[in-house]
Amino acid sequence: MTETLIAIIGLPFCVALIALVVPLRWVGVLALLAPTGVFALAVPFWPEVAEGSARIVPIGGLPGLFSLNLRVDQLGIFFVLLTAGIGLATVQYARGYFGSKSSRLFWSALLAFMGAMIGLALADSLILLFVFWEVTTITSFLLIGMHFDEEASQRGAIQSFLVTGAGGLALLAGIALIGGRAGTFDLSALAAQKETILADPMHRIGLVLMLLGALTKSAQFPFHFWLPGAMAAPTPVSAFLHSAAMVKAGIVLIGRLLPVFGQSELWLPILASVGLATYVITGWLALRATDLKELLAFSTAGFLGLITAFYGYAGRESSAAEFLHILNHATYKAALFFLVGWLDKASGTRDLGLLESQRWWSRSRPAAVLFGIGTLAMAGLPMTLGFMSKEEFYEIVMGGKYERLTPALVAVIVGSSLMVAYSLKVFIGVFFGSHVPSAEKGVPPEKRSSWLLIVPGILLSVQVVGGLAPHWLLSEVLSPGHEWPSSPAIWHYVDELLVISLVSYAAGLVLFLGWHVARRMPDVPGPKRAAETLSKGTIIVSDWWTRVAQEGGHPRYLSVILLTFVAAGAAGLGHGRGSLADLIGPWGPESFVGLIPSLMILTAAVFLLVLRRRISKLIMLTVAGYGTVVVYMIYQAPDLALTQILTEAVALILLLLIFRQLPDLGPDPRSIRQKVVHGTVSVLVGLTLAGLTWGAASQSPSDRAGAEHLRLSESETLGENVVNVILTDFRALDTLGEIVVLALAALGVVVLYRAKRRSNRTQRTSAQEGGS
Amino acid sequence: MNSLIFREVTRAVYPAAIVFAIHLLIRGHDEPGGGFVAGLVLTMAVMLETLAFGAGAARRRYRLMLRPALGIGLAIALGSGLVPMIWGHPPFTFSQVKYTLPGDNELKLSGTLAFDVGVVLVIIGSMGTALVVMIGLKPTRTVP
């Protein structure tokens, strides 16, 4: 069981790695292996989980902090199968679409993306879920920005990354808040104690933060603007991104949070209002769009709004229709994207205005039929799965109350009519344009892979089967454990739901005719501008920050490092226990003796500032160092004294060798302002160090940690010198880290030396060439 | 540095420094000393040698020792920490044995000694590498 699950998650990642190294012509075939394998491994789970069983599979993690548990339940396995199924279709389609012009990076990123989506669906631990969540963000960034020499591609990738990345941060904050207060990051454990969580008013902040993550990922209003930008991706990627992955990650998260937060008083209002607003607004934007992919992108955001709203209502009354909605959307939207990809290949354009003059009905009947089924499903007409999905949605929104015209009902009807309108626009615009065919620009038919039509055909067959035999699909396959309220059938008698459907069809037709006559639609300003401002602003801020923090001079770098140290040290001091009075302890064994090395260090420090020769400064530094050695002697720390003596000596010689390379220090070139700034930084660092030293020194050695070390060093390690026992036994890992740093520093010296030698050599050769 | 006295002193001090370093290394677990200090003493010995006999001699002598010492030292330090895992202990759990030898002497063997040997090698390797590189640079006195 555990092994199977790990294989399901690991397989796509493994194939993604292999895809980076094998010859390109094998990669496409190899890529088929991942979704096929995942599908075959996951299918046996389905009958069991479809009955409603759910199991937690412990994986481990960091004991006491968080687990990395997986879970096997209907939602998870459903998404695994969906991702693998659509993934298989995408891979096969992409092989036909790209032909020999694909790249290893594409396949690798696509498969890793698939793996992350699968891991996300199976995670029970929120920590694990978050990790996979971020992997989808990163891989989708790579996929959208695949054509990295095109500006639109870059902009789309950056926008989607900024929006979903920011959402990811909100999600992380929410997870930390909820998990930290509940003491567990496991969704199953959280669901078990949901009463306690909901009783805590703080859960609202955590819930809002987590939903922010989900809504940005699912491109919900007001974050819907990134989705059309992501259209710059190659069409197979768009199809995958919009149907089964990425945007559905937000839906998975909402579905996972439902058992925990479904009863929260914020759940329904947030999800229903955001979802329905998205449904209406993106419907309007889709009706305006002329690029077919852009239209489908808005339509995706719209349907996801419908699913989001559905989950909002699902907190009020349970419903098994979630799988129906998701399956419906995944099949028809992936198929439509695939068909648009075919059309793009065939005609050389995705612009509706141009396509209208080409009248594709007379050129390719199969494509027209497939497009017809896809748009029927999008519009939610009978005989398709889309119809079932819409009806179930109306039902849960109404909750059995049809007599009043609620805002939600109005929104649903308006959104659905818009969907009908733009479905008509797509179908009629592409296939029944008004003009004679113009010159063909696309790829000739014999060069188009027939898979470009076969793959969407297979996907749409699910729509047709679901539309013709809904009872079989829903009650036998999708949710056998669930009683469907109104027995789903092709045709049912006139009821309120059908009335809503008919009203939306009629309104959609009117809207379409209106658009057809007017040809122009008022713009909805805002989102696009917001998106551009966001990406521009981010770049300006990061430019500024880079200039501030990394101007290229040592003083600035040192100041940044030292001030960070001051901040960290001050934070540490602020957290300390005890008052200042506790800190003022005795000065040492004999305060008078302690004065001598102190004077030595102070004098050296003053001279260090005053003297103007490098060598003199270095010697003063060493004097101060040996002053410290005297302090160690007085306070009986022979280990430290020995180390300090040797370090000072070695450092002195090495620095002298380096200083031979440096020019003499002239008069101080710094302005008064620079001097003041540098002085302030120095004083702050000094104060912090003094504070830290004092804080550490005022801890009695018989404190708990100190006493434990003393006790354990004798019994556990047979060592008598506790200082060295700490270094090599208790803290051996720290010591290992230190020597690694030392080794890296030495390698750095070698690398710099070689670089300098090489540049000297090239200078010399170029000088010789110039001379000869 | 071309001084006869310095050279002859170095000749005498060099072996003594190495013996002293080993002494510091071995007693480090119970008395002042240890890998870090022993490594620094060895570094001082190498520095004396280099300063007395020149960069060329030092480079010829240590070329095949210093940089390998870095890697070998890291490997020993890391490996000594991983060995306890064979017996199912957490990493870096060193075990010790103490034998009582005739004549009231004790012999202590500890896994930390292996770790400390690694530390010594890394210190001498890194410091020595930096030294040999820096001493090879020709003094530049040009003001930019």
Side-chain angles (χ1 to χ4, degrees), chain A residues 388-417:
Chain A
M388 296 295 144
S389 171
K390 287 269 173 66
E391 295 248 301
E392 287 296 327
F393 179 62
Y394 299 150
E395 187 163 349
I396 196 165
V397 170
M398 294 302 97
K401 301 187 215 77
Y402 302 99
E403 54 281 351
R404 282 185 301 132
L405 204 62
T406 57
L409 180 57
V410 174
V412 165
I413 292 178
V414 172
S416 300
S417 347

Side-chain angles (χ1 to χ4, degrees), chain A residues 14-43:
Chain A
C14 290
V15 181
L17 280 182
I18 299 171
L20 283 175
V21 289
V22 297
L24 193 55
R25 61 203 150 100
W26 297 110
V27 177
V29 186
L30 185 74
L32 284 172
L33 193 69
T36 322
V38 169
F39 200 85
L41 285 171
V43 157

Side-chain angles (χ1 to χ4, degrees), chain A residues 60-68:
Chain A
L62 275 184
L65 276 178
F66 58 82
S67 76
L68 296 176

Side-chain angles (χ1 to χ4, degrees), chain B residues 24-86:
Chain B
L24 282 176
L25 169 69
I26 291 176
R27 73 171 202 169
H29 213 230
D30 296 322
E31 284 167 80
F36 194 76
V37 176
L40 286 175
V41 170
L42 278 183
T43 308
M44 288 303 293
V46 172
M47 279 184 166
L48 277 180
E49 167 105 1
T50 313
L51 292 176
F53 297 98
R59 200 174 294 143
R60 271 193 300 282
R61 184 157 181 179
Y62 297 115
R63 155 165 269 155
L64 294 176
M65 288 164 67
L66 291 175
R67 242 176 276 168
L70 262 185
I72 296 171
L74 276 182
I76 291 180
L78 182 66
S80 71
L82 296 183
V83 165
M85 293 175 80
I86 298 174

Side-chain angles (χ1 to χ4, degrees), chain A residues 520-545:
Chain A
R520 289 188 51 190
M521 314 264 304
D523 191 7
V524 183
K528 206 157 197 173
R529 177 113 31 94
E532 273 156 22
T533 319
L534 180 73
S535 32
K536 271 195 200 124
T538 313
I539 289 166
I540 290 172
V541 169
S542 56
D543 266 359
W544 171 80
W545 177 246

Side-chain angles (χ1 to χ4, degrees), chain A residues 610-632:
Chain A
V610 176
L611 293 172
R612 292 305 304 158
R613 289 185 59 204
R614 287 187 199 272
I615 305 261
S616 324
K617 278 179 186 287
L618 187 55
I619 289 170
M620 283 306 126
L621 201 62
T622 314
V623 169
Y626 280 113
T628 320
V629 173
V630 179
V631 176
Y632 288 148

Side-chain angles (χ1 to χ4, degrees), chain A residues 660-661 718 720-721 724 728, chain B residues 28-31 33 108 140:
Chain A
R660 293 191 307 170
Q661 306 290 315
L718 305 180
E720 286 158 28
N721 177 358
N724 272 326
T728 55
Chain B
H29 213 230
D30 296 322
E31 284 167 80
K108 198 175 80 176
T140 50

